[in-house]
Amino acid sequence: MSHILGVVKQRVSEALVAAFGANGQGMDSAVTPATDSKFGHYQCNAAMGLARVLKSNPRAIATRIVEDLKVGDICEAPEIAGPGFINMTLRKDFLTGRLRDLLGDDRLGVPLDGAHGAAARVVVDFSSPNIAKELHVGHLRSTIIGDCLARVMEFRGHETLRRNHVGDWGTQFGMLIAHLKDRCPEALTETSEVDLGDIVAFYKEAKKRFDEDESFKERARLEVVSLQSGETEAIRGWQVLCDQSRRQFQEIYSLLDIEIEEKGESFYNPFIPDTLEELEKLGLIVESDGALCVYPEGFKNKDGDPLPLIVRKRDGGFNYDTTDMAAIRYRIREEKADRIVYVTDAGQAQHFAMIFSAAEKAGWLGDVEAVHVPFGMVLGEDRKKFKTRSGETVRLRDLLDEAVRRSRAIVDEKNPELDEVTRDQVARVVGIGAVKYADLSQNRISDYVFSFDKMLALQGNTAPYMIYAYVRIQSIARKVGIDLTTLTPDDIATLETPEEVDLAHGILRFPEVIEAVERELAPNRLTDYLFDLSQTFSRFYTENRVAGDPRETTRLALCALTARVLRKGLSLLGIQVLDQM
RNA sequence: GCGCCCGUGGCUCAAUUGGAUAGAGCGUCUGGCUACGGACCAGGAGGUUAGGGGUUCGAAUCCCUUCGGGCGUGCCA
């Protein structure tokens, strides 16, 4: 069953054909949610656009559309307003019927997607930290946004490949392996696991020696050669370093409740020769200053000359242009992706535009949709790149711990009667949820100013506000002594109060919002909706007594559905809910 | 220099992609507790959407231009 917006659009489209024949065929129905609730629930803006084409008066056209508009079963009589807006208000009995359907629908009205075919396969490339370094604030947005988009895709029924394109290959491994051989030679023997401790400190030690000691530098260079030629000891050292890093990454991903599968840069190494050979055969490779280049059209460097993707460096080595070309080819050819989504910072927009253009030129892309999902930087409150007071990059671990610590302090103050274990649980869910929500609720593309105080604020458009709405619903259920999951369609009688009607429509908008999030790859569409729904619920809660009221059962059903939408919506953001806080 | 992105109340942000009188939150001011959890609700004040020009029934949104900021601009990712 399609969502309400879809039904209204369909009806308007039919009316356009009925009113204007062939002229109305394929015309945009121009139906949107009402810009203001005083205009009803949905509005059609088609008449104004048509007026130009048909050289007629927009209000007259609106009248003709309304004459052919068959919506009596879902709306009150449409009204024409202003220059030619057609406003529609949903009937209460229609809303009631839809709510009854939802009570028996565990997908809350959200259909499995048919747009990309029954079983579309989507690659979501996100997070992507570097081995032997650390997840820091620069990885926050990619990780959180990528996870959210992946969750939405999964919910819509796509087979989703969550890919961590970690930086696990490159010249920096020379110095790391050389340092490993000195500091921890036992790591290179086949036996037990070793613990290098803080891998980042290890990296810094190696870097220091590399910068200060010429002979070490030379050894590092030789280790790179060994590694690339597959020499056993070097490979072993590399694996040890990767394992250590992986373990530290996993701690953060667990804390964030994020699943992701690592397929790092090294994974694509075996596919590089074929990739280059194919590009060569296609005549796309040009040698320049000893490097092998592909020149997609339309990109210029600062001298106005064509800008290349360098797929093999002068020294024979490979870089991220190479890997990304091999990776996109692999994802299309081997993994049969229908859609590939790259969640990286906006600064890489040109790079991906070039990769996509080159892949198109090579004939790899075909019907596959490759899309870069850019996002802005995380800024400090001084509007400069977010750093610690001492100028260091902020570690994700520290940031998350701080969020949990602060929310713990708030729980201790607000709800000291909760036991220790519960308060820890609340602190974790609210703290992590607040960090995620603050990020996802921003328009992706703009830079965003990081502030603990604002994200953990207990009011406003924040995670705690929504979780609180959910908690209050659970509290009502406890008060009444009912399991909200046991309500059935028969438990909804009629909708009476304005707050009930608003809440009903809010609940029923969920599917159209999910569709928009998926289409626009814009998580903030979902956060805006959930905030709106929470506010609508709070108004309902204030004005409409549930427990003990004659309308208790219907209202409980509204509460149950609100809770389910909140829980599902928040879970798509990667945020958990609580029964008490 | 060139390319891309951005500029919206004091602050942080929306605006369903060209729709109606530009909406929220924070802060501020006023009101509401016989509490289904006040981490709440109702209301007020606060805007020339950086400036200017254009396109059209209609522009924060599209085009041109000026100013301001960020990022990118061949062997880092």
Side-chain angles (χ1 to χ4, degrees), chain A residues 329-349:
Chain A
R329 181 170 172 272
Y330 179 85
R331 288 163 177 178
I332 294 168
R333 290 270 176 84
E334 306 299 323
E335 299 189 305
K336 313 284 187 209
D338 298 299
R339 194 177 192 191
I340 310 173
V341 178
Y342 293 83
V343 186
T344 80
D345 68 274
Q348 296 189 52

Side-chain angles (χ1 to χ4, degrees), chain A residues 160-324:
Chain A
T160 306
L161 309 179
R162 301 158 157 265
R163 286 298 143 78
N164 204 358
H165 194 80
V166 300
D168 66 352
W169 201 253
T171 49
Q172 77 274 21
F173 281 96
M175 70 179 190
L176 291 166
I177 292 168
H179 187 53
L180 183 67
K181 283 184 172 178
D182 295 342
R183 230 200 64 178
C184 195
E186 67 275 17
L188 299 176
T189 61
E190 292 290 330
T191 55
S192 60
E193 296 273 309
V194 292
D195 187 358
L196 298 178
D198 185 353
I199 190 78
V200 176
F202 184 90
Y203 182 94
K204 284 179 181 163
E205 286 166 23
K207 183 77 165 72
K208 188 159 186 285
R209 292 181 69 188
F210 186 84
D211 290 339
E212 292 173 359
D213 181 345
E214 276 304 316
S215 69
F216 182 81
K217 200 169 188 167
E218 175 59 16
R219 280 179 54 209
R221 204 184 59 75
L222 293 173
E223 289 294 351
V224 175
V225 176
S226 299
L227 179 65
Q228 285 176 347
S229 59
E231 193 261 318
T232 314
E233 246 192 6
I235 292 285
R236 171 72 185 155
W238 170 73
Q239 284 170 341
V240 168
L241 292 159
C242 290
D243 285 347
Q244 293 281 311
S245 275
R246 230 166 257 144
R247 228 169 296 159
Q248 292 184 22
F249 294 157
Q250 193 49 50
E251 281 180 32
I252 307 286
Y253 292 134
S254 298
L255 185 58
L256 285 169
D257 188 25
I258 283 174
E259 282 182 33
I260 187 164
E261 181 194 354
E262 181 181 316
K263 262 192 172 44
E265 291 172 344
S266 66
F267 176 86
Y268 300 100
N269 284 347
F271 305 98
I272 288 175
D274 279 358
T275 302
L276 296 189
E277 194 184 326
E278 188 174 340
L279 290 170
E280 174 69 46
K281 277 190 185 149
L282 290 165
L284 295 178
I285 289 192
V286 178
E287 189 180 329
S288 170
D289 293 334
L292 300 186
C293 303
V294 175
Y295 290 90
E297 272 108 47
F299 299 94
K300 289 183 169 43
N301 68 13
K302 54 188 155 197
D303 299 322
D305 298 326
L307 188 63
L309 288 165
I310 293 175
V311 292
R312 200 184 76 189
K313 298 192 290 183
R314 187 170 23 201
D315 67 4
F318 304 120
N319 59 16
Y320 78 132
D321 288 336
T322 321
T323 311
D324 279 342

Side-chain angles (χ1 to χ4, degrees), chain A residues 7 15 37 112 170 204 218 383 475 485 495 501-502 539 577:
Chain A
V7 173
S37 59
L112 294 167
K204 284 179 181 163
E218 175 59 16
R383 298 219 59 116
S475 188
T485 63
L495 297 172
V501 174
D502 284 351
R539 280 182 215 117
V577 292

Side-chain angles (χ1 to χ4, degrees), chain A residues 61-89:
Chain A
I61 289 174
T63 305
R64 286 180 63 187
I65 295 172
V66 170
E67 281 168 1
D68 283 305
L69 187 55
K70 297 188 173 58
V71 288
D73 53 330
I74 59 179
C75 299
E76 307 295 340
E79 291 178 9
I80 298 169
F85 296 101
I86 301 168
N87 292 332
M88 287 165 276
T89 301

